[in-house]
Amino acid sequence: MAEWRFMPYGQGETKTNPTQSEFFTTTEASNISTSLIREGIQNSLDEWIDRNKDKKEQKPVRISVFHSGSKYALMPSEYKSYIGRLENHLNAEKNGLRNLPDLSKDPMKFLVFEDFNTNGLVGDPDECEDNDVEDKTKKHNFYHFWRNVGITGKPEDKLGRWGIGKTVFPLASRINSFWGLTTQFGKSQPYLLGQSVLKSHNLRNAYEPYGYRPYGYFANYKEDEKFPYSITNNEVIEKFVKAFHIKRGENDSGLSVVIPFLQEEMTYASIISAVITQYYFPLIKGELVVNVTYEDISINIDANNLEDVVNEHLSDNSETLNKKAIIELFNFVKWVLERSQEKVYTLKEQPAKNQPAWTEKLWEGIDIYELMQEFEKERKVAFKVPVKYCRVGEPESLKTSWFKVFFAKDDDLETAETHFVRENITIIDIKSIKNQGVRAMLVIDDKDLSNLLGDSENPAHTQWQKDSQNFKDKYVDGEKCISFVVASIGKIYQKLQKPAKGLEKDLLQDIFFIPMEENSSKASNDIDDDSSKDTTDIINKPVPLIPPPTAKNMVRVSKIAGGLKIYPYGVTQDNLPKIELAIAYDTTRGNPLKKYRPFDFQLNKVPIKTVPKNCRFEFPQTNVIRLEPYKEDFELIITGFDENRDLYFTIKTQYKENDSEI
């Protein structure tokens, strides 16, 4: 018989409460619609049957999202059999639920997320022993989806990594529960299970001395056994399919997820918006088709009607979405996908033994002036960029991987629009250039490089993180590889900038000058003619003297390879300063010092190296150094920073004659 059960804790067991849903509420994908659509479609693309086949034979992944609205919401009499014993646990104290529906009268609005042309949850539905699930000759997707958290069976060529993305399904439910119905590829037998994710809790009417575990299952249970077997009874499944408007047919492999008591923020508009903004890339490529239905209103979203969907269904009042910019982005992506190899600037491949770094050697063979001219004329330009890939302990894996970077001018953009795409998933929380009027996209389609970057992603796939547990110490120069890729849009864009027109003649007049007599005819003849200016004042202007150093500029900081140097400028033995320098890696937004994190660097730890001359120093904070010279020719050199990132610093000084607080 199908029913809900939570297993009790045993004596002395450590109690735990699920926290993995926090990964999907503390990122830029904090909107539950965006989180669910991102995770659901990513899983579907991972299990796409035709993913690695010839494009001529490909069938796209089909996604169906059905929102019951009020019209098709189930009444208590209709959903009572699907809740059953779960109700006691939903009403238990300290179970973590808020805004619980009244199960005696509230209708159950629900959402169904289904994928087609996918493998479904393949593997033995009943396996649970380690000897079985560790057999690498078989697939274990069913086991990992239903019976694990934080453990994944996905190989590295999949978009997902962490094994916790499925937690967005209960997160979208007011009762933190969901059902899943899957049909495996090549088979016709469907399997049904449900899962509820609460906190450790207890029941007054069925008290357990050590309480109940947080995970409960809607499943078949054999007498005196605790294992939740999947439901295979055709009569039960047919009734379930009909009640929840599931579209899956008998031989349609894939997964259908049903989310009961849907969170109110999961609206028709928010779902459409999430589909368009998160998966425009595979939609335009023709590898994804999505149908969204609300009650009886239905819309297909594919490569042919994206612009119409934007115009008809996205709000003009949105603060974050601009219809015109989105449509221009779609046109840009079409150009990106059509760009031929012959029209791509290929940067020079470097010796594989070198560390990834942005040096002038990459640009050898490219006419920079011609490049700038093309960008000015065509308003679009494309690049192919090399970067090293190698696993630790696997020298045979050493190779040069390639990725592409594309630029287009858009005068309507008030700040730069940058996009990072790893295969078909967009990485939405990477900061890049802020320049006005430019759109850029970085595309990773090399499998090895995609694996490296995928290992560095956080669970919500919004960032590439050097300290990710899946990534750290796994690749040779892995951190530098991430820095190189992330910096590529900014580094290339610098090369595309034409120098400012005209000459600012008096820019350095206070430092470099040639004395001349007033009214000198020779001097008059040597000055460039500019009919728009009266040059008399320039010729007759008294030559300024070089100003002596002041207390504010008696210390200099210069950039050197891998760091910086602090040295005096006009300091005397009688007025030696005390100096404080705060350092951080530069950021595209906000104050870099406020965004400093110890894992970036710590001045008092390797690889940072500090070499003093005629001064004492200390570290009051991990990114702050104070030095006190005892001779006027002091010097301090700090090296060991990431050469692919720019340094930002502030300097404070304190002098005997011009006292200022450090």
Side-chain angles (χ1 to χ4, degrees), residues 613-632:
K613 174 186 174 183
N614 296 330
C615 62
R616 293 176 287 271
F617 64 92
E618 61 177 353
F619 303 103
Q621 299 176 41
T622 54
N623 70 321
V624 175
I625 186 169
R626 286 179 180 167
L627 60 146
E628 185 173 352
Y630 49 82
K631 288 187 179 181
E632 61 187 45

Side-chain angles (χ1 to χ4, degrees), residues 107-176:
M108 177 199 284
K109 293 181 181 180
F110 60 90
L111 182 134
V112 183
F113 183 100
E114 302 185 80
D115 62 33
F116 301 88
N117 194 29
T118 61
N119 290 304
L121 298 178
V122 296
D124 182 356
D126 297 335
E127 69 179 359
C128 57
E129 295 183 10
D130 282 353
N131 288 337
D132 293 332
V133 299
E134 290 174 1
D135 184 351
K136 295 184 179 180
T137 65
K138 300 178 181 178
K139 294 185 177 181
H140 311 281
N141 295 20
F142 193 100
Y143 168 81
H144 285 107
F145 183 87
W146 285 114
R147 312 195 193 282
N148 283 285
V149 175
I151 302 174
T152 180
K154 291 185 178 182
E156 289 182 339
D157 64 345
K158 300 293 187 181
L159 300 180
R161 291 290 196 280
W162 288 82
I164 63 176
K166 54 184 174 275
T167 60
V168 300
F169 298 135
L171 187 65
S173 166
R174 291 170 61 193
I175 61 172
N176 268 53

